[in-house]
Amino acid sequence: MCQVFISADPQLYAHRARSVRLHGVATSIRLENMFWQVLDEIATRDGYTVPQLCTRLYDELTAEARAVDNFTSFLRVCCTRYLALQLSGEIPQDARIPIRSLTPGLQASPPPPRMRALPH
């Protein structure tokens, strides 16, 4: 089993920090390259840059009156959820279909059982 995971390109799990402005405030986000790639794919689908996508996600999260204790972890979960929803067919593989056109149906869908947070 481990060979499936350890054979990953080390560049995918190498991390890098990027400076992103959230409403004029510069913040540094440090993610593994694979997450930056997924964020870029998500952003491109909807005509955003990665910083614009980050701002949009931050705004939508705070609009739901949720605290933003660890935005970087939230972004990792967004990426993982995006990939899981593609595998389940809830997000089409066709990157020409914007995610924003799918949002109403996705908001009603609970995350797949394996993606739910474990109790402390």
Side-chain angles (χ1 to χ4, degrees), residues 36-86:
W36 286 119
Q37 289 173 7
V38 174
L39 286 172
D40 185 59
E41 180 178 325
I42 295 168
T44 300
R45 277 184 91 137
D46 279 69
Y48 295 119
T49 64
V50 171
Q52 289 170 331
L53 174 66
C54 289
T55 299
R56 173 104 189 225
L57 291 170
Y58 182 87
D59 289 349
E60 289 181 8
L61 185 63
T62 57
E64 291 290 321
R66 296 188 181 159
V68 183
D69 296 329
N70 191 333
F71 188 60
T72 302
S73 291
F74 173 74
L75 291 175
R76 285 187 185 99
V77 169
C78 289
C79 292
T80 306
R81 182 159 164 72
Y82 170 77
L83 295 172
L85 289 168
Q86 276 193 318

Side-chain angles (χ1 to χ4, degrees), residues 11-27:
Q11 279 300 325
L12 292 175
Y13 54 86
H15 54 80
R16 65 183 157 127
R18 288 180 64 175
S19 181
V20 176
R21 288 193 173 274
L22 299 175
H23 298 289
V25 178
T27 187

